[in-house]
Amino acid sequence: MKVTFQIEGATPVEIECNAGDNLLELARRANVAIDAPCSGNGSCGKCRVRLMDGQLDSIKSRHISDEEYEAGWRLSCNSKVMGDCTVFVPDIASAYQSRMKTADLSSPEEVAIFEKCQNDLKASGITFANRFRSVLLQMSEPTEEDTMPDNERLTWAVQDALGVEKVEIPYFVMVKLASTLRSHGFAVCVKGELAGDTFRCMDICGSDDKMIVGCAIDIGTTTVSMVLADLETGKILAKGSSGNGQIRYGADVINRIIEQSKPGGQKKLQDAIVKETLTPIIAKLCQTAGITASSIVRMSIGANTTMNHLLVGVDADPVRMDPYIPSFFGWQGLKAGDLSLPANPLADVMIAPNIGSYVGGDITAGTLAATIWDKDEMSLFIDLGTNGEIVFGNRDFLMSCACSAGPAFEGGDISCGMRATDGAVEACTVDKDTMEPTLQVVGEPGQKPVGICGSGIIDIISELYRCGIINARGLFTREGDRVRRDRHGCGRYVLAYEKESETGREISINEVDIDNFIRAKGAIFSAIDTLLRSVDMTVDMIDKVYVAGGIGSGINMKNAVNIGMLPDVELEKFSYIGNSSLSGAYALAVSDEASTKCAEVAANMTYLELSTYPGYMDSFVAACFIPHTDAKLFPSSHQEV
Amino acid sequence: MKVTFQIEGATPVEIECNAGDNLLELARRANVAIDAPCSGNGSCGKCRVRLMDGQLDSIKSRHISDEEYEAGWRLSCNSKVMGDCTVFVPDIASAYQSRMKTADLSSPEEVAIFEKCQNDLKASGITFANRFRSVLLQMSEPTEEDTMPDNERLTWAVQDALGVEKVEIPYFVMVKLASTLRSHGFAVCVKGELAGDTFRCMDICGSDDKMIVGCAIDIGTTTVSMVLADLETGKILAKGSSGNGQIRYGADVINRIIEQSKPGGQKKLQDAIVKETLTPIIAKLCQTAGITASSIVRMSIGANTTMNHLLVGVDADPVRMDPYIPSFFGWQGLKAGDLSLPANPLADVMIAPNIGSYVGGDITAGTLAATIWDKDEMSLFIDLGTNGEIVFGNRDFLMSCACSAGPAFEGGDISCGMRATDGAVEACTVDKDTMEPTLQVVGEPGQKPVGICGSGIIDIISELYRCGIINARGLFTREGDRVRRDRHGCGRYVLAYEKESETGREISINEVDIDNFIRAKGAIFSAIDTLLRSVDMTVDMIDKVYVAGGIGSGINMKNAVNIGMLPDVELEKFSYIGNSSLSGAYALAVSDEASTKCAEVAANMTYLELSTYPGYMDSFVAACFIPHTDAKLFPSSHQEV
């Protein structure tokens, strides 16, 4: 039997199947994008599809109303195929996954932040120079008198040009040596790496192809971002980002580790990141930059410990299993050719070292970029991604920890949540008297709202609390047009009525959503609190707070303090530093000194395992209020700025 | 339309084709083995097939008699398909190609010769030791207290066991590190290479898999031979040989270079040696030796310059084109993984360096094995393969040259020629009075003759000349039952009548064959003569003659002198040293000192280009007689021993 997926705005896809097959699994096999941030356990309600024809054996979900069920709506994760059927896959089903805000790297704000990071690194004494060289060579052609074979001819020319003693010519270069020399009249460009008295050739091409390129990649659990940079000047040649293709195997690292543990799982997860995600972006950026793939002679990765393991294709199970010792923290030895990436196969893929199972190379790279390792002042570094990671310290010490904030900051675990793409409510104010909201929506002017992204949720909760619409526990305490309750009494605040939304569905935030979010922000704050306590320090000793991560780009710091998510310090101490993992990875790719410094930062960073740290759970429970059970910690909460 | 090949003793093979397709090309495409040592130009007559049904457009060849033509026999190289047809492919059609004497490496004589080579090397001061190590490690499992990740744990254990400072763990090892450690209770074997203060891991496996193996390969134009050796003890673990799969693209290097120059040719020729020839032998030897492919951590190649270029996949055209400068002489940088060979992908594939376009690494390796570089006495080294290569000298100098002897020594260019496999006449005496022959045939007792191999041809010509049946120019001068003439008057000597042969066809040697062979032996002798003259020396100054090559194994030195092929020195000065290329390759694989010495030998060897050397052509013409136009050069010719 077979299932036909009628995808909104795309060509239908058919797949052969057997009775009893899970519909979400079938969609994955057929490469039909359907969001399932909860990894298909029925809790998130994102994988809604509509049965058009045929029969499904589905469990009725709380996410599907009676009317919707009648109209054929089902959760694909809890539907079994019973015979030939046709299901409609709405565009929204992959909003979380595929409609990425890919332009964010090019906004003037992001560019300025990125450049500031590099300038800060230079100010900290990091030289942006590297050992890669591109050399133009003009050789004479062999004759009866000049009987030197091609490889010796090249060796002499390189020795002469670079003053090196030895020249290594690997297979990749050797196989095209004869033809390249002859098709370019023995005037060629050789690219490679200096290593002591040796030059390691990596590519040979015509003299018009002189660029040597570094490729820096931030692999987030949700989003992958990348820049190509000229290794001679440091200039950015192209930028891009897209969703992490692994997302169909779960929104968070735990679900993906479970998936990779299944037979064939490691390969599946590795393919999802390498073949489906990185390969097309690199290919596209090469095209944009007008370079050949083999010009990419160095790559760098900023990614969390799990992403690093899944990238390499190493069993990630130890990451989530007691005693939480992964297969590697730092590891050198990966080549682009090992992963068949569209780059020079000999290019080193430098992985920024992990610190622990839940503080990864993205944090090491981010810490490098934030230059807190070079300052006297006490800095707090917070990366708000799918997980929350915290670093605290200065030039004398660095402490780090991680907390499982869950996907709430990215719109996961929130009934109307979505990522910060077109249609996302990214900011919001509420009139205290009328309770009417004023929404700021991502997209072109006139864009109707589709859902709520992380920064929007912070604003909404902060505003609802300020207006007395919800109490410190996130429960609704006022009634009105905008406040509604379902038959179980669960309250919700309507941001957009059916007619006002893009999808025709009401956009609201309910008590379950608020509770999920309070637990997420509580996890972040209690992690900060515990990390400070572990070194006998308090909030007032913090000199600087660096907030990093894609999630943070639209964040209203004041509201984040108001709800007790970030520590209550003077607003001028906060800096948003954008995608610091990517900034750090860029530095690694372009600067030899930066990669040495990054290893040093990693070696000097202490990892605090929160889950077993005394008092963390108490701190977490205390933080699960707005702003906190101990209001003295947030004296400025809901004072006007 | 389609052609059906009815292969004697095998399953029929069908292939789709178009009208006008060449039958030999179709056989190649269909992987049907049909010999064509002349590369399909109609001159050798080996590619005979019999048309059973349908129609072929064939040129009538001098190799096909009228009766045979009537019975459907055709040369496949000059037949075009005109419609559906069925052709019978006799077993003999692939005798030259596929019925290899694969046991020769295991004969007591060959084993003794092989061992003598290694003992001579040791006597010359070469230590059989290498930098490869296999280490058993017992590590403790990670705990909450012992939080070291897998790669650091391994690094520490290796540092501890070997006293090295650095440990490199490449991707190939990293991806199986976690699972290997855990499936073997953290008791594992690590294999790798010492490089200064660094240990480069190459494999990790269970503690029951401790063997590290070297693979030495002689790639002849016709035959490929191989040994696997234990790198710790030097012990031979397995041996094998097979035909070089490239033979269907031509018997000699020139025809193969022409083939590889055609579009897609490099890949085709590389696949023929790597995928079709080396891969199955290595896999089989691994099975025989009971080792895993990844245990092969070092490989070495003894091969001529063209074979080396075709193996690497580098354009070999410069080898045959003026000014005859190949792409490389010596080149380091090839890994087993580059060729996807069934070995450790990180294994170095050491290519014994070439000296010139026609003196290759097989000769360098052979010279190493013959230890003539370590002797005071003047040695002549002759490798009789498809080409003839000569080295002359001692510890003070080494001169080398090559001549195109053609395939006659291996049975090519001889109407009843074949390789030294079952049914080959390998030795022969003729009664001077009766002119009746006594044949020695390769194979089980009672084996009927199929054809004549190189050593047999030497004997026959020597005997026919001794008996006055042919004159110094190779023309028949006596008549009798055994001597027959065709309608053009071309004489032939019948070794076996139709009824006496395995195939029912007469086995004979004719004036054309003898002429071909005289030119081959003339090329060898004039090369020796010219090389000696180039250093102002004469035959009587030769202290030792080493004859190497698969062709040489059945050679009767006295007869070879009698016909003027080898120089007329005392018989006790001759040594047959077997496959010296393989012996040398074995030394390279097992001994670091041997590989250093081999590079030294290559660097010190002078290459003499015969084709442009004054007087060579005169010398060649003078040598095209039995034994020579200057009979004084062969005073002992046809004296009884």
Side-chain angles (χ1 to χ4, degrees), chain A residues 391-453:
Chain A
V391 178
F392 181 69
N394 66 358
R395 65 166 77 241
D396 297 321
F397 76 97
L398 290 170
M399 294 291 297
S400 65
C401 70
C403 61
S404 176
F409 296 132
E410 289 168 314
D413 271 4
I414 304 292
S415 56
C416 293
M418 68 180 286
R419 294 233 298 280
T421 56
D422 284 356
V425 175
E426 60 171 349
C428 168
T429 53
V430 176
D431 186 294
K432 193 165 185 173
D433 298 326
T434 63
M435 296 201 286
E436 281 301 303
T438 307
L439 307 183
Q440 184 177 321
V441 178
V442 177
E444 301 287 312
Q447 166 76 50
K448 286 185 175 180
V450 174
I452 319 168
C453 70

Side-chain angles (χ1 to χ4, degrees), chain B residues 218-286:
Chain B
D218 161 54
I219 304 179
T221 309
T222 310
T223 309
V224 171
S225 304
M226 195 182 292
V227 297
L228 297 186
D230 182 337
L231 285 180
E232 289 184 310
T233 63
K235 192 181 158 231
I236 302 286
L237 303 171
K239 304 176 189 188
S241 67
S242 95
N244 183 333
Q246 291 174 338
I247 208 156
R248 66 174 186 272
Y249 303 114
D252 60 30
V253 298
I254 298 300
N255 278 306
R256 293 195 207 164
I257 295 174
I258 293 169
E259 281 290 327
Q260 68 97 45
S261 303
K262 297 176 183 169
Q266 268 169 242
K267 171 103 178 51
K268 203 168 66 174
L269 272 288
Q270 192 185 34
D271 282 353
I273 182 65
V274 173
K275 291 190 185 169
E276 295 172 32
T277 310
L278 299 182
T279 298
I281 317 180
I282 300 174
K284 195 180 156 204
L285 295 199
C286 283

